[in-house]
Structure formats: C-alpha cells, structure tokens
Amino acid sequence: MTRKIRYGGDYNPEQWPESVQDEDHRLFTAAGIDTLTVGVFSWSLTQPAEDTYDFTALDRILDRAAAEDRQVCLATGTAALPPWLAKKYPEVNRTDFEGRRHRYGQRHNFCPSSPAYRRLATALAARLAERYADHPALLAWHINNEYGGVCYCELCAEAFRGWLRDKFEGDLDALNDAWWTTFWSHRYTDWAEIEPPSALTEHWRGPDHTAFQGITLDYFRFTTDALLGCFLAEKEVIRAHDPETPVTTNFMGMFRPLDYHRWAPHLDFASWDSYPPLDAPPTWPALAHDLMRGLKDGAPFWLMEQTPSTTACRDVNPLRRPGELRLATFQAIAHGADAALYFQMRASRGACEKYHGAVIGHAGRDDTRVFREVAALGRDLAGLGDAVLGARTPARTALVFDWDSWWALEISDGPSRLVKYQEVVHAYYRAAREAGADVDVVPQTADLTPYDVVLAPVLHLVKGDLAERLEAVAERGGTVLTTFLSGRVDEHDRAFLADVPGPLASLMGIRIDEWDSRPPGFIQPIPELESEGRLVFEIVQLRGAETVATYGTDFYAGIAAVTRNRYGLGEGWYVATALDQPGVDQVVRRVLSRHDLIGPYIEHKGLEAATRIAPDGTRLLFLLNHTEEAAHLKACTSATDLLTGKQTEAGAPFTLDPRGVAVLRLQ
Ligand code: GLA
Ligand code: ZN
C-alpha cells in the first residue's frame, strides 16, 4: 500500500447483510478509502455467551478488507457490554454520582474496578490478538472507545482506598495533611472510613461543588488511573500475541474527566475524535489538535473520527457547509494528523445514530454532495502522497495545559465559579495563533528549553519543579506569561503559605493580597489597552515589575492589571483579570513580537497559517481560509502548492478561495 495520509473511518458491516459489503467496497474505492475502523461495538456478536466466541463476522470483514487492499484499525470492542454479561455479573454496571446502581443499557457504562469486566474484556482482547495479529489487513489496535465516566460503587470505593494507600505510601497522616482534614472534623483513623466523593458524601449541587477539593481531585486522578488500568490490561494481552502493531484508544480532545497526560506514555500513537462545539471558532478544534499532538511530544496523531456532515446527539445538528469538511480535515493535518477518519462509513439504519452523518447514507448513493466531497478529498489526499507524513511543528511558543489546574480551578469555592479553564486557555491560544505563531500545547512536566515564549494561563495548581523551569525560560531570555488565579495551590489543592502568585511571584515581580470577583455583567475598563476585564480583578502590587495597563474604575482604579517584569535576560508577564479577546490579543502580540514570532498574514482575518517540517527537512506552509470570502494574498517566498501543483514566486499575488486550502512546499 502506498504511503499516504490514512483515509476512512468507523465501519460496522456486521449490522448489514453480507451482500451490502460489495456495494460498500465499490463506494470505498470510488472515494479513495484505505482504512476501516472495525469491531468497535461488536462484543455481543463475537461473544454471544460467556463460553462462546464467534469470529465469523470479523473474519469476513478483515478478509474482505485485505482482498480489497484496505487495512483495518481493529477495535477490541470492550466499550459496549453485551446484555448477558450485565445480567450475569451485575457488578459491571456502574453506580452513579447519586448512588444509583445502573442496570443494563447504553454503552461506555462499565465499572472500571469490576473484576468480571476486567477478566472478560481482557479475555476478548487476547482472543482477538491471537487470531488477527498476523492478519494482512491489520494496521493498528483500537482499545475500547472514548473512555470516560465515573463510577461510585463499592468496588470502586475499595479500589480508591487501595490507590490512596499506594499514593500516600500507607501513611494515613500524610493523607490527612494533604486533604486538610482537620477542617470540619474529617481526620481519618482508618482507610476504610474513606468514601468516594459523591452526592451522598462530600458534594452538594453536583460534581463541581465539594467540601474537600483534595478528595475530589484525587478521585479525578483515581478515575483516570482506573480506566487507564483497563486499557493497560487489554494492551498487555495484545502485546503477548502481537509485539509490534501500534496500539491506541480514541480520546476526545479537551475532555475534562480524564487527564490524558497521565495516559499518554502508554499509547503508541495518540488519536482523537473531533466534534467541535457549535459555533466554535476555528482555533477551538486547533487547540484540541495541538493538545493531542502534545501528548506524544509532537509526533503525528490520528484524527480517528469526525462527521462528514452532521452529528446527531445535539439538540440541533447543523450541516457542514460545502468545503467545510475539506477545510477541517486539512486543519487537522496542518496541526499534526496523519490519518483522517470518519464516524461513520455507512449510516446505521436504527437506534440513536441513524441520523448521524455518514459517507454512505441510507439510500446508498454515490451522487450526494457529501459523498462527492468525501471522494474529492480522497483524491486530494492521494495526490499529497507521503509529503506531510511524519512532519513536525517547529513551534517556539508553548502553551501549558494542565488537567490538575483545570479541575482545581473549577471545583473551587471562590473566588469565582464563572471562570472556565478552557475559555481562558483558548483566549491566549487564539491570540497566539491569530498572530501567526505555531504553538505546542504541553503538560506541566514538559521540557521548556525549546521555547522562546511560554504561555501558562490560569495555572491554578503548580507542582514539581515547574516554577524553576519557568524561571529558567526567562533567565535565558524567553518570555513567560501567566494570569489571574495562577500559582494558588499545591498538588493537593492546599494554598501556598506565601504571597500570591506563590511560586510564580518572584518571576512575575508582583505580590497580590486581595482580589475582587464580580457578576458577569460587570465590566472593568482597562484604558491603556482600550479593552475590558471581567469576573476576577486581582489587586497587584509591584515588587519589581512595571505596569503595562491598569484598572479604570473603583477603589483600585490606577492599579496594575497587566504587568511586565524583567527577569534574567527575559520577562515575566502577568494579566490579573479576564481580559476580553482584543485585550488578550494585544498582550500576546507584544510578547510574541519581542521574539519576532508574528506571522506574515495577520492582517487577513480568518486566515490560518501553520508550518510543518517534513522528515527530509522540507518546509510546508498550510494556509486555511476560514472565511466565506476569497483571500487575496502575497507569497512570502517561492512555493509550490502541493494540492494544485501551481508555483508561486516570492512576492507574487495569489488567491485562496472561500474555505480554500493551500499546502505550500516552500523553496
Ligand atoms: C463518538 C463515538 C462514536 C459515535 C460518534 C457520534 O465519537 O466514538 O461511536 O457515537 O461519537 O458522533
Ligand atoms: Zn465501580
């Protein structure tokens, strides 16, 4: 098979009579489909009873794929339980936040601590690996599907206690200290007294309102590790039969419940499903792509799912406009995808996803607009060949993304329930991207030495040696930016016994004693930026830093809202309020221009530029026109558009169609 960006998607022919596969494959060929994700929801067929396995359907699917010269991403199928399993072992059904033990239904519903689930899921994965490890169609393993959800059953409670014993090395006093249990008389004298934090125990008004942040944080971490444990158990048995084929599971981008950074080392490659929120600006999926690329240190990832046309699960499910699918796909590639797959290849006839967009609809036609666009994109990808495979992003700007900070910020009582981690992080990411900077989205533990600029907005929880590594960035001449509600708590959510912003205070050259939090309608003018602040207003005292902008009203009028501190050869910038986007844009542009990181096309609103470097050193510039108007541009260097073969000389004008894409090989 030729080396190229993988193209295809979730394929469930087991839902159909065998003869439908003939038609499917005819259409796949017409659309340039080379990769099929199969078996995601076939547990009840492959194992109709505990002691009966039946691989007839999967055998046919894989054999047929091989005969057609297509490859498969083979799922272990352990995300949707068969009914017999739930009936026979009721422990596999989850207990929810309110303490209700569920009965059989839906999917993604197993208790991660259930021994019966573990045993049966790994047994199935082992059988599949044994049977298909050497199958010519096998390309990758897809364990489970979109891991997520929380369980509060007795098995999980016991597993949580075990997890805590390990974490605190059997020292209950260390746990009492970490969770600050003397508050409200919570000192534990026995591990058995510990309960999962739920509506029946520490929570009020839902999962974000807890009496003990430390307990809730640890339950988030435990849940990540419990589901990761399920993944690792399956991976281990696959590896026993198949030492080589890469293993992944499909993530969900910015998905709050699971800390994907804890998970990342165990994936052979990252993959994720992109269903951007309605009306999200293009930088929203871009941030998620960069987060996913950051999981494996910048290595390419797979776009495991996207819809060719519409979703079905939302109240309203708008159609992707002509050209949108192609634009979104090239955006994923521009940010590091080397596979572009759909959910789904053929529309389900019944149940809740029958109206979900598919490459092949219920009528099976090859002359629909969607099919034509899918097929045209297939030709684009075939034409690109291996030109972008394995390419890396040469970012000099890093954005720190931290699940612990996300959780700690959003489960905190005070200063404000209205600050949303993703929104603040996205505002800074958006500012950097719209200024033309390539951005790596990295964990707190990342090596920061490759970067000139490190953006670390709402870094609420600071752990390990991060503060020193940020200082080192500034010392050698880089710029570090952080914002309000950063540097507040340690890894257990205990406040730092120091001036705010705790371990970041010396780098920022400031001290904060007070902060004001106001309702969403209240707006604080920031005159120097001709901008506005909202939600939280920290009152900054200068301790070496200089004022960049101030608050315009109230008793803290004239006090610094944005500061800059010279530190070593570099700078530390602090933004003490939730600035509006134009304010964030100005601050970030000033930071980027210090390092000459402003791109050439920033005057073109809605034009996205992203650079990748192919393994042979070729520089590729992706230009993506996210608007409905043609973009009239001037070439910065001589280049060849790999999609059209057209050459442009440096300085020559060229036009990008509405929603148009260019993949320029620079000379
Ligand atoms: C998820 C799942 C798929 C399907 C799609 C529909 O990503 O993994 O099985 O349900 O959503 O959008
Ligand atoms: Zn459970």
Side-chain angles (χ1 to χ4, degrees):
M1 206 171 286
T2 46
R3 273 174 43 82
K4 63 178 277 290
I5 291 173
R6 294 270 157 193
Y7 192 47
D10 272 39
Y11 179 46
N12 305 297
E14 67 277 15
Q15 294 174 9
W16 302 92
E18 175 101 32
S19 57
V20 177
Q21 286 193 50
D22 295 338
E23 189 52 10
D24 289 338
H25 280 279
R26 181 183 77 76
L27 294 165
F28 294 163
T29 301
I33 300 300
D34 49 46
T35 303
L36 301 167
T37 303
V38 303
V40 182
F41 298 114
S42 53
W43 196 347
S44 66
L45 286 185
T46 48
Q47 194 180 6
E50 181 159 1
D51 50 8
T52 318
Y53 289 93
D54 178 357
F55 295 106
T56 326
L58 272 183
D59 282 352
R60 286 197 188 124
I61 295 168
L62 269 80
D63 291 350
R64 181 68 189 260
E68 301 275 352
D69 202 21
R70 279 180 255 281
Q71 286 193 294
V72 304
C73 174
L74 179 55
T76 57
T78 53
L81 305 172
W84 62 261
L85 198 159
K87 185 86 186 157
K88 189 163 176 190
Y89 303 100
E91 63 167 67
V92 302
N93 299 307
R94 280 187 192 162
T95 295
D96 67 19
F97 183 70
E98 276 78 30
R100 301 174 305 175
R101 162 76 72 189
H102 283 216
R103 299 165 69 93
Y104 183 70
Q106 302 185 54
R107 63 171 179 176
H108 302 163
N109 50 2
F110 55 90
C111 163
S113 310
S114 150
Y117 174 75
R118 250 333 141 87
R119 179 169 59 79
L120 289 158
T122 50
L124 175 60
R127 295 254 182 169
L128 289 164
E130 185 181 15
R131 193 172 188 92
Y132 298 114
D134 298 319
H135 198 283
L138 184 68
L139 173 65
W141 289 101
H142 176 303
I143 293 183
N144 206 275
N145 190 65
E146 293 192 336
Y147 278 105
V150 191
C151 181
Y152 298 88
C153 75
E154 271 312 314
L155 290 165
C156 285
E158 206 36 47
F160 182 45
R161 292 173 198 127
W163 183 92
L164 291 166
R165 268 177 202 261
D166 285 350
K167 171 170 175 158
F168 293 100
E169 297 174 347
D171 182 352
L172 200 51
D173 278 343
L175 173 141
N176 278 312
D177 189 42
W179 288 356
W180 211 248
T181 54
T182 314
F183 176 77
W184 286 4
S185 182
H186 266 49
R187 282 197 82 78
Y188 296 100
T189 53
D190 189 329
W191 298 90
E193 295 156 5
I194 297 168
E195 297 284 354
S198 72
L200 302 183
T201 62
E202 299 298 351
H203 281 252
W204 50 287
R205 258 175 76 187
D208 283 358
H209 290 70
T210 174
F212 280 82
Q213 278 69 18
I215 305 182
T216 299
L217 259 186
D218 271 339
Y219 209 68
F220 281 133
R221 295 169 177 146
F222 159 75
T223 295
T224 297
D225 287 356
L227 287 167
L228 173 58
C230 296
F231 170 88
L232 289 175
E234 288 194 38
K235 185 177 175 187
E236 189 184 322
V237 296
I238 290 173
R239 279 285 166 261
H241 296 283
D242 179 353
E244 268 167 23
T245 309
V247 171
T248 194
T249 184
N250 50 338
F251 284 162
M252 289 175 276
M254 288 184 280
F255 179 62
R256 198 184 80 164
L258 298 185
D259 180 349
Y260 290 150
H261 287 138
R262 287 171 93 88
W263 200 298
H266 308 288
L267 302 173
D268 294 321
F269 64 96
S271 65
W272 84 285
D273 303 342
S274 178
Y275 298 97
L278 300 186
D279 300 324
T283 41
W284 192 274
L287 168 55
H289 288 313
D290 286 351
L291 175 66
M292 296 294 102
R293 188 184 73 245
L295 293 180
K296 299 300 287 179
D297 213 12
F301 60 89
W302 281 24
L303 176 60
M304 187 68 91
E305 294 180 22
Q306 67 168 331
T307 178
S309 54
T310 69
T311 53
C313 59
R314 296 170 172 162
D315 287 357
V316 288
N317 298 280
L319 192 55
R320 287 190 138 169
R321 290 17 232 172
E324 254 186 63
L325 169 64
R326 180 172 186 265
L327 184 58
T329 305
F330 276 103
Q331 186 189 40
I333 296 167
H335 286 268
D338 66 5
L341 309 182
Y342 297 110
F343 185 88
Q344 53 191 334
M345 299 311 296
R346 182 181 276 276
S348 166
R349 184 173 186 189
C352 61
E353 289 181 349
K354 65 179 178 297
Y355 294 131
H356 195 286
V359 172
I360 307 169
H362 293 138
R365 304 194 71 92
D366 61 6
D367 59 356
T368 62
R369 176 186 68 86
V370 170
F371 188 87
R372 280 203 219 98
E373 287 199 24
V374 166
L377 186 49
R379 287 190 290 278
D380 279 337
L381 297 180
L384 266 186
D386 64 358
V388 302
L389 284 189
R392 311 284 287 206
T393 304
R396 288 164 56 202
T397 303
L399 178 124
V400 177
F401 192 102
D402 181 46
W403 264 270
D404 274 340
S405 287
W406 190 355
W407 294 334
L409 181 82
E410 295 188 1
I411 63 173
S412 178
D413 271 1
S416 170
R417 285 269 170 200
L418 304 179
V419 177
K420 298 292 172 215
Y421 182 77
Q422 285 181 98
E423 285 172 16
V424 183
V425 167
H426 173 255
Y428 284 83
Y429 174 84
R430 178 177 190 167
R433 289 294 299 132
E434 291 186 350
D438 288 302
V439 178
D440 279 346
V441 177
V442 302
Q444 279 216 16
T445 49
D447 173 13
L448 300 175
T449 52
Y451 303 108
D452 294 331
V453 172
V454 178
L455 305 172
V458 273
L459 190 68
H460 195 68
L461 182 154
V462 178
K463 60 200 168 199
D465 62 350
L466 178 67
E468 289 93 75
R469 283 181 296 113
L470 290 171
E471 286 173 359
V473 171
E475 252 154 33
R476 63 172 162 78
T479 306
V480 177
L481 177 148
T482 189
T483 71
F484 63 104
L485 297 182
S486 294
R488 294 301 188 111
V489 296
D490 71 5
E491 61 180 303
H492 304 299
D493 198 69
R494 296 174 307 192
F496 289 114
L497 299 179
D499 291 332
V500 172
L504 307 174
S506 117
L507 171 56
M508 295 299 144
I510 56 170
R511 163 182 151 196
I512 294 161
D513 298 346
E514 299 178 89
W515 45 89
D516 193 14
S517 142
R518 305 292 296 269
F522 178 82
I523 277 164
Q524 173 65 265
I526 311 290
E528 296 83 352
L529 300 176
E530 289 176 28
S531 136
E532 290 164 347
R534 288 174 62 239
L535 302 180
V536 171
F537 310 99
E538 293 176 338
I539 302 178
V540 175
Q541 301 180 43
L542 304 178
R543 287 290 175 275
E546 64 190 60
T547 301
V548 173
T550 60
Y551 295 116
T553 61
D554 215 320
F555 79 95
Y556 41 92
I559 293 211
V562 180
T563 58
R564 177 173 75 147
N565 186 41
R566 288 182 208 285
Y567 192 93
L569 301 172
E571 296 181 349
W573 285 65
Y574 194 83
V575 181
T577 181
L579 285 182
D580 58 12
Q581 190 68 48
V584 174
D585 290 348
Q586 282 189 65
V587 171
V588 169
R589 281 179 193 208
R590 283 181 62 177
V591 166
L592 293 173
S593 43
R594 215 187 140 238
H595 300 277
D596 206 12
L597 289 173
I598 305 279
Y601 295 114
I602 58 163
E603 298 317 323
H604 294 270
K605 241 188 138 21
L607 183 83
E608 181 181 359
T611 303
R612 299 193 74 199
I613 310 234
D616 66 0
T618 307
R619 254 186 126 73
L620 301 161
L621 177 65
F622 286 74
L623 293 177
L624 306 156
N625 180 3
H626 292 286
T627 75
E628 288 167 44
E629 317 288 321
H632 302 286
L633 309 168
K634 206 183 259 173
C636 322
T637 54
S638 303
T640 308
D641 185 346
L642 296 178
L643 295 174
T644 59
K646 263 197 221 145
Q647 299 206 356
T648 323
E649 296 306 315
F654 70 99
T655 300
L656 214 52
D657 291 338
R659 297 205 180 94
V661 177
V663 183
L664 302 178
R665 188 174 58 211
L666 306 185
Q667 274 134 32

